[in-house]
Amino acid sequence: MSAEYATFGLAPAMRAGGVLANGDYQVHRDFVDFIVNGRPLLFQLADLDAVSPLASDIPPAIFTTHVRRLLLEAEAPLHDGRYVIYGCPECEGLECGAVTAVIDRVGDEGEDYVWRDFAWQTSDHADLELNGYRGIGPFRFRGGEYREELGRLLEGAGPDSGRRRVLLIGARVALLAKLAAALRTIGIGAEIAADAAGVPEEELRTYGAVAFGRAVPERTRDAVRAAFEGAGVEVAYVDGLAPIVPLLVAQIEYALDRSPRAQRRLTRLVLSGDAVVTEVTSTCRVRLTAYRVDRLLRTRVHEVLDAVLEPGEHRVALPGKSQFVVARTPDSVLVSSPGSP
């Protein structure tokens, strides 16, 4: 076994939920990702829509079991001493496919941990010749660093859920009802209110974002902000761009993203004339959807791109009169409009 060490860390991450252009829904999942040598391990697996077992929406007892497995304090869940590193974000079933690896203790006194033999697995046994990830690992982690990082999760009895609730404030009740229903469908709690007056502080602390409709007056916005500040709660504020539910969902998903900006895969989205410029930091599937509202206030939607892009900047032509563009990768979302940076 190579004596070369890799660094090990953990960071909050999300699988971006959303309402897709074809009407499908994609479930929102918050989880803890593995940071290996300063980069999310998930990004090294190219185009993969998956989450780690350390998700915020699983029962604490199951979460603790997953952590203890990674510490080799609980039995491996799969044959041949294999552990699930990433699984399906929708059902977490092995039949949908999972990234698995063998975890060993090494060193004179078993002080270090090694992750090796990564594979894509869909049945009880992994076929390394057919489905092994060549060039990924083995990774040898210093035992103290490894145990300290995972131990913090045990001390906290699970990851912070990130307050996956949003307060919707606006005048168009029918639109807000549709938006709230869409958010709840993808796993984000949503409540509708005219303002925050009289809302108990303990309830304010459950929200991660506040979304304002375009017609909400400034005095109401100021009062809402003052209520949250008075409760000592930091939330993200979203100004709705247009009465388009998928667009508003994307704005809220972005506001709820707690992952470190330096570790996001989708880093840039800019409207530039009749094109959009997007930038990704690693190979991944990117969906670009353009929206506009016509003179009769009807929503027009165009699927601009759905492809696996290599790292770097990409310029994509847009259909005429596009007003807003949503970019999605499996783990992030960005929204751009004319005049946005």
Side-chain angles (χ1 to χ4, degrees):
M1 178 65 63
S2 170
E4 185 176 347
Y5 284 98
T7 62
F8 180 85
L10 300 170
M14 78 170 186
R15 190 274 190 134
V19 181
L20 306 182
N22 62 3
D24 290 343
Y25 290 90
Q26 186 168 284
V27 175
H28 175 105
R29 299 291 302 279
D30 290 304
F31 65 99
V32 176
D33 200 4
F34 308 111
I35 309 301
V36 177
N37 290 330
R39 291 187 66 225
L41 179 59
L42 187 60
F43 292 6
Q44 301 180 43
L45 300 172
D47 178 34
L48 184 64
D49 183 11
V51 299
S52 82
L54 308 179
S56 65
D57 54 354
I58 62 176
I62 296 177
F63 181 88
T64 298
T65 297
H66 286 315
V67 176
R68 294 201 179 280
R69 284 172 176 167
L70 295 173
L71 289 166
L72 301 184
E73 296 174 359
E75 186 177 352
L78 303 174
H79 293 293
D80 304 319
R82 301 191 70 82
Y83 296 80
V84 174
I85 306 301
Y86 295 106
C88 172
E90 299 286 345
C91 70
E92 301 183 33
L94 185 61
E95 61 275 9
C96 290
V99 176
T100 67
V102 175
I103 302 179
D104 290 326
R105 295 285 292 270
V106 298
D108 294 338
E109 299 181 4
E111 66 273 18
D112 295 333
Y113 293 78
V114 170
W115 289 14
R116 62 176 175 82
D117 296 340
F118 287 81
W120 178 253
Q121 190 168 342
T122 57
S123 60
D124 290 341
H125 294 277
D127 187 334
L128 294 180
E129 286 298 320
L130 184 63
N131 296 316
Y133 280 98
R134 293 171 178 79
I136 303 296
F139 300 115
R140 180 171 181 167
F141 305 117
R142 290 180 172 84
E145 177 183 61
Y146 186 90
R147 288 189 294 272
E148 181 180 1
E149 288 289 318
L150 290 169
R152 291 196 189 101
L153 297 181
L154 293 177
E155 293 169 4
D160 178 11
S161 65
R163 305 200 308 273
R164 292 186 305 155
R165 294 180 70 211
V166 58
L167 183 62
L168 308 177
I169 296 178
R172 301 182 61 174
V173 178
L175 173 65
L176 295 180
K178 291 179 181 178
L179 175 57
L183 290 168
R184 292 168 188 152
T185 299
I186 67 172
I188 297 174
E191 283 75 41
I192 301 170
D195 52 42
V199 180
E201 289 187 0
E202 57 269 23
E203 183 175 343
L204 292 178
R205 295 191 184 99
T206 67
Y207 292 106
V210 177
F212 295 113
R214 293 186 299 173
V216 175
E218 197 60 39
R219 64 179 179 276
T220 300
R221 297 169 187 251
D222 291 341
V224 170
R225 292 188 180 97
F228 278 93
E229 290 172 4
V233 182
E234 291 187 11
V235 296
Y237 294 100
V238 177
D239 293 317
L241 290 172
I244 303 172
V245 169
L247 179 68
L248 296 172
V249 169
Q251 286 189 266
I252 291 168
E253 276 284 280
Y254 175 78
L256 292 175
D257 191 349
R258 297 164 48 247
S259 63
R261 291 182 181 273
Q263 293 171 359
R264 296 183 188 180
R265 181 148 41 187
L266 183 59
T267 58
R268 187 169 174 240
L269 183 70
V270 179
L271 286 179
S272 177
D274 59 354
V276 63
V277 177
T278 188
E279 186 172 359
V280 293
T281 60
S282 65
T283 301
C284 61
R285 181 184 181 187
V286 178
R287 294 173 174 168
L288 295 177
T289 307
Y291 299 91
R292 69 180 178 89
V293 179
D294 65 18
R295 293 180 180 178
L296 298 178
L297 301 181
R298 295 173 300 190
T299 300
R300 301 300 185 184
V301 184
H302 295 276
E303 282 281 12
V304 178
L305 178 75
D306 187 351
V308 175
L309 300 182
E310 296 296 319
E313 183 178 287
H314 303 269
R315 185 181 181 90
V316 181
L318 290 174
K321 300 181 180 179
S322 295
Q323 297 171 318
F324 314 101
V325 176
V326 174
R328 290 186 174 278
T329 65
D331 51 13
S332 55
V333 60
L334 280 178
V335 180
S336 189
S337 61
S340 62

